Amino acid sequence: MSSSHTSERRYQSGFGNEYATEAVAGALPQGRNSPQRAPFDLYPELISGSAFTAPRHENRRSWLYRRQPSVVAGRYQPYAQPHWHTGGDRAIAVPPEPMRWHPSPLPANLADIDFVDGVHTMCANGDADAQQGVAAHIYMAGRSMERRAFVNADGEILFVPQQGRVVITSEMGVLEIKPGEIALVPRGVVFKVALPDGPSRGYLCENYGAQFRLPELGPIGSNGLANARDFQAPVAAYEHAEQDGKVAYELVKKFGGRFWTAPTSHSPFNVVAWHGNLSPVKYDTANFMTIGSISFDHPDPSIFTVLTSPSDTPGTANCDFVIFPPRWLVMEDTFRPPWYHRNVMSEFMGLVYGEYDAKPGGFKPGGASLHNAMVPHGPDEEAFDKASHADLKPQKLDNTLAFMFESRYRFIPTASALHSPSLDTDYADCWAGLKDQFKT
Ligand SMILES: [Fe+2]
């Protein structure tokens, strides 16, 4: 691949743009998508990320010009990936209380585990076939996929790396992200993952529902939060096909919650040029323009939404991806950490680095917490006490990045997450010391 080993990668800017890119000049047909013979005898192939008739502002598709069409593959056989679950398992009884997991230790055989085999589902909701809900996964892997490729027919995948860089080679080109950055790979786009730093861990949101998009800004106006120009899509890059007809790649496909594998005699990364508005993208959360109160109180955490997957009910997301990045706190006469609350929405949280202000001690990078619908939660005893007596001078919360996958659907932990040795069985104790201090 022309650019897979360079650290200076080239990108196109924007979110959902009409991107256009060619690795060989002249490879994109001009004025039409499917000429009788495409330039350089490439095969035109359309990938639709929305129904053909979706409204124009929702419509996503790209035209790929490739050495062989993706329909050329061997026969599929079942593939075992026992840790990756799809949708909520209603047979599991979910405790109606706050839950938290310490980071799992990286397995000793990590060097043998690649991204596909290293995904462990923490919790999920909805149903991929109903195109509703999300799964929250943690990946732990140490080996690059090399000649293995993966495609997910069940949903798009949002990458939130926590340890180690991730190089995503996709049909549209190569994206590289590091902790603090995120990437979004659309449903059905073939990709593979290389891990240049070896032992790697991170979070994934697998979204079965409507594609993530930038939230509406309302009275914020035409700028702010995640700005569209800061998203980056790859430029076209292709591999050379095998010469001797031997098996070139193994393609693993996730399809209806099941996994399948097929050999291919060519590389799936054979797209010489493409155009359209369906593409993987990356985003550096350091570019998030954070908005908060400059008087008193603080806004609802929805002010930190980077991307949203709407449901059929306005304002009630299938999933919001929300970050808690470095920011200044300047509010007067205000309890500055999050308030105690219950929420009809369900909240899965992770921590990329640093400390989360509501739980400075117990919530570790690489760990997770789950506060499901109407489960009360809030600052632990220590955070409450400190914030209630703090000198309210301007304060920078720095070197921290927590995030939340928030969904209208209750998250159901997997059996392995519920019985994991990493489950923090003492989590509730962090609120036990909050005494009645009512004084008349
Ligand atoms: Fe919350």
Side-chain angles (χ1 to χ4, degrees):
M1 186 159 291
S2 53
S3 63
S4 63
H5 298 293
T6 60
S7 54
E8 284 297 307
R9 301 190 187 281
R10 290 194 301 122
Y11 298 106
Q12 315 175 73
S13 79
F15 188 89
N17 284 6
E18 285 293 334
Y19 307 107
T21 172
E22 45 190 24
V24 174
L28 275 180
Q30 296 301 313
R32 67 201 63 211
N33 294 318
S34 187
Q36 185 177 20
R37 283 180 67 184
F40 306 114
D41 284 327
L42 294 166
Y43 290 87
E45 184 179 302
L46 175 66
I47 177 166
S48 293
S50 54
F52 292 139
T53 46
R56 187 175 277 267
H57 71 277
E58 303 253 354
N59 212 304
R60 295 290 200 88
R61 59 85 185 93
S62 283
W63 280 94
L64 313 181
Y65 299 90
R66 60 196 317 157
R67 299 168 70 124
Q68 281 178 280
S70 52
V71 69
V72 180
R75 302 301 301 270
Y76 284 93
Q77 301 287 329
Y79 181 82
Q81 211 298 19
H83 314 295
W84 189 332
H85 298 267
T86 300
D89 181 352
R90 296 286 180 85
I92 291 177
V94 185
E97 59 191 8
M99 303 183 72
R100 185 165 70 184
W101 290 266
H102 298 301
S104 291
L106 296 174
N109 63 335
L110 203 67
D112 300 328
I113 300 173
D114 70 10
F115 171 78
V116 167
D117 293 332
V119 174
H120 296 253
T121 306
M122 295 294 294
C123 54
N125 59 30
D127 180 323
D129 281 335
Q131 299 176 12
Q132 286 181 337
V134 292
H137 312 287
I138 287 180
Y139 67 85
M140 292 181 288
R143 199 180 75 177
S144 297
M145 286 173 65
E146 308 290 350
R147 288 296 178 114
R148 261 151 68 92
F150 178 69
V151 60
N152 188 357
D154 294 342
E156 63 185 346
I157 297 183
L158 177 69
F159 284 75
V160 185
Q162 187 266 319
Q163 175 183 333
R165 285 172 297 160
V166 177
V167 179
I168 300 169
T169 297
S170 75
E171 292 176 275
M172 281 80 167
V174 184
L175 293 173
E176 180 174 326
I177 54 172
K178 60 182 188 297
E181 297 180 315
I182 60 167
L184 184 61
V185 179
R187 180 195 301 259
V189 170
V190 181
F191 68 96
K192 66 175 182 176
V193 169
L195 303 170
D197 300 325
S200 299
R201 170 166 50 207
Y203 306 86
L204 305 173
C205 181
E206 182 183 9
N207 176 18
Y208 319 128
Q211 294 172 85
F212 276 118
R213 75 275 320 262
L214 294 168
E216 297 299 331
L217 291 178
I220 293 172
S222 56
N223 303 281
L225 308 187
N227 287 306
R229 71 180 287 245
D230 295 321
F231 287 79
Q232 295 179 301
V235 295
Y238 65 95
E239 288 183 332
H240 297 280
E242 291 295 290
Q243 297 298 318
D244 56 4
K246 70 179 182 191
V247 172
Y249 263 85
E250 176 193 2
L251 179 62
V252 179
K253 179 180 279 193
K254 182 174 188 283
F255 185 78
R258 308 279 178 139
F259 291 78
W260 301 83
T261 175
T264 69
S265 59
H266 62 98
S267 167
F269 310 112
N270 64 357
V271 175
V272 179
W274 63 272
H275 77 85
N277 59 4
L278 184 76
S279 170
V281 288
K282 62 169 282 188
Y283 175 71
D284 187 345
T285 63
N287 292 325
F288 189 79
M289 194 274 241
T290 312
I291 290 178
S293 172
I294 51 171
S295 56
F296 56 84
D297 287 350
H298 56 74
D300 297 331
S302 45
I303 198 72
F304 302 127
T305 302
V306 181
L307 294 167
T308 185
S309 161
S311 76
D312 293 343
T313 305
T316 308
N318 178 63
C319 187
D320 282 336
F321 173 62
V322 174
I323 60 171
F324 302 96
R327 60 201 184 275
W328 280 94
L329 302 181
V330 300
M331 305 85 90
E332 296 178 307
D333 186 19
T334 292
F335 181 78
R336 288 175 173 178
W339 2 255
Y340 294 101
H341 67 285
R342 286 172 292 168
N343 190 352
V344 70
M345 302 290 279
S346 292
E347 307 173 2
F348 173 90
M349 272 192 80
L351 185 59
V352 177
Y353 53 82
E355 281 187 348
Y356 176 58
D357 61 332
K359 311 268 170 30
F363 189 36
K364 303 275 190 258
S369 71
L370 177 59
H371 303 133
N372 258 322
M374 290 303 163
V375 170
H377 56 284
D380 64 18
E381 180 190 351
E382 180 195 342
F384 178 81
D385 187 60
K386 216 169 126 185
S388 303
H389 302 99
D391 176 16
L392 294 182
K393 56 182 188 298
Q395 179 201 357
K396 180 90 184 273
L397 285 182
D398 215 349
N399 304 310
T400 181
L401 183 64
F403 71 90
M404 189 156 68
F405 304 148
E406 180 171 307
S407 174
R408 67 176 299 184
Y409 308 111
R410 195 167 56 99
F411 284 102
I412 302 181
T414 56
S416 54
L418 275 177
H419 300 113
S420 166
S422 302
L423 182 68
D424 179 0
T425 51
D426 299 328
Y427 185 28
D429 293 351
C430 78
W431 295 287
L434 290 166
K435 294 177 201 64
D436 183 349
Q437 48 189 19
F438 179 59
K439 296 180 203 76
T440 54

